[in-house]
Amino acid sequence: MDAMTNKTTMDMADPVAFYGTEVASRLLLGTAQYPSPAILAEAIRASGTEIVTVSLRRESGVAKSGQSFWQLIRDLGVRVLPNTAGCKTVKEAVTTAEMARELFGTPWVKLEVIGEDDTLQPDVFGLVEAARLLTRDGFQVFPYTTEDLVVAEKLISAGCEVLMPWGAPIGSGRGLNNPYGLRSLRAHFPGIPLVVDAGVGLPSHAAAAMEMGYDAVLLNTAVAKAGDPVRMAHAFARAIAAGREAVIADPMEVRDMAAPSTPVMGRALLGS
């Protein structure tokens, strides 16, 4: 599939900016768990994404065991968002981010500080502390967080200019577990780029996030573990574009009662 088929006129005219960098695609894609490097490359092209996440654990600056993977990403011409995936302490996350900046040559970092093994829920206390340390050191932090409003405020105060609340536990495919919380976050921080990150399983989940007014969606497992990752990547690109266009179109308000869509004036009345 030609990735350019995902780029409608609306997409090109409606970019999203992260730390001053504009991108046309509102789909961010992870790079783990794909059946092969070739399928990964095809899925990235089909998605039209301009940003991919990469865990430092997939690279090795000494043994160069990950250099073929890194070359593949370079050849695709996409931006890299290094990820501190799997880090459980502030020190581990900060050290991993520093190594990633040296290896990938970018101040961007997707910051994860995991606090619970079963749900992979963020340790929001460690997350805020790590974000403060990293932004002070010149990093541009994309924090993987919850939809908690207080945590969001503290992350912004720590220097984060993007927030990435989870939709559901990582890899669960459950979609948007707390629509009320996600809508509240969007309403409270209208000027902050918000990216739904984790738990998205279907294109309809991604479209729903965009219809809430979110700026982008980041996902990995839903594409990588699909029977046809390339086709699924294309489906997600179309769903996200549709959701964004729906928001711009100003959807109708939800009503409790029916409202006829066909005018009733002038209809024929039959006598008894």
Side-chain angles (χ1 to χ4, degrees):
M1 296 180 184
D2 184 352
M4 286 305 295
T5 60
N6 301 326
K7 300 296 186 182
T8 64
T9 302
M10 179 72 71
D11 295 329
M12 294 296 190
D14 183 41
V16 59
F18 300 121
Y19 290 100
T21 297
E22 287 192 350
V23 292
S25 173
R26 292 172 180 267
L27 171 59
L28 286 66
L29 199 61
T31 56
Q33 306 182 69
Y34 286 81
S36 72
I39 292 177
L40 166 61
E42 288 184 46
I44 289 174
R45 293 190 187 99
S47 74
T49 186
E50 296 169 57
I51 300 173
V52 298
T53 61
V54 176
S55 171
L56 186 64
R57 286 169 171 77
R58 297 206 52 181
E59 292 293 314
S60 173
V62 177
K64 297 186 178 180
S65 60
Q67 291 306 305
S68 60
F69 173 80
W70 180 215
Q71 187 60 51
L72 180 152
I73 298 300
R74 282 177 171 169
D75 291 344
L76 288 167
V78 290
R79 289 183 173 273
V80 172
L81 176 58
N83 189 353
T84 65
C87 293
K88 295 184 177 181
T89 67
V90 172
K91 182 178 180 180
E92 185 181 10
V94 169
T95 300
T96 301
E98 291 171 344
M99 294 171 63
R101 178 167 62 179
E102 180 177 349
L103 181 61
F104 296 110
T106 176
W108 282 11
V109 62
K110 179 190 170 187
L111 179 61
E112 291 187 21
V113 183
I114 301 301
E116 207 278 325
D117 289 336
D118 290 332
T119 62
L120 299 180
Q121 180 169 329
D123 171 2
V124 295
F125 304 101
L127 183 67
V128 171
E129 183 181 350
R132 183 175 292 110
L133 292 171
L134 289 172
T135 54
R136 190 182 301 165
D137 192 28
F139 282 89
Q140 296 173 338
V141 179
F142 294 65
Y144 164 62
T145 183
T146 65
E147 67 276 22
D148 187 284
L149 298 176
V150 178
V151 175
E153 188 64 60
K154 291 185 180 299
L155 286 167
I156 293 169
S157 296
C160 297
E161 298 180 16
V162 177
L163 298 177
M164 302 180 71
W166 65 347
I170 293 172
S172 68
R174 295 179 59 86
L176 309 181
N177 271 357
N178 185 3
Y180 171 80
L182 291 171
R183 288 194 184 95
S184 296
L185 192 67
R186 177 72 285 176
H188 277 74
F189 302 101
I192 297 292
L194 298 180
V195 182
V196 168
D197 175 17
V200 172
L202 294 170
S204 57
H205 299 155
M210 299 305 294
E211 289 167 3
M212 289 180 184
Y214 274 72
D215 296 284
V217 175
L218 193 162
L219 56 95
N220 186 166
T221 309
V223 169
K225 291 297 187 180
D228 186 339
V230 178
R231 187 173 293 276
M232 186 62 77
H234 186 251
F236 269 105
R238 297 175 69 184
I240 288 171
R244 177 61 182 173
E245 192 164 354
V247 168
I248 295 172
D250 190 14
M252 65 172 285
E253 294 182 2
V254 176
R255 299 172 177 174
D256 291 330
M257 301 294 290
S261 57
T262 302
V264 295
M265 291 185 63
R267 71 179 182 178
L269 298 177
L270 301 177
S272 57

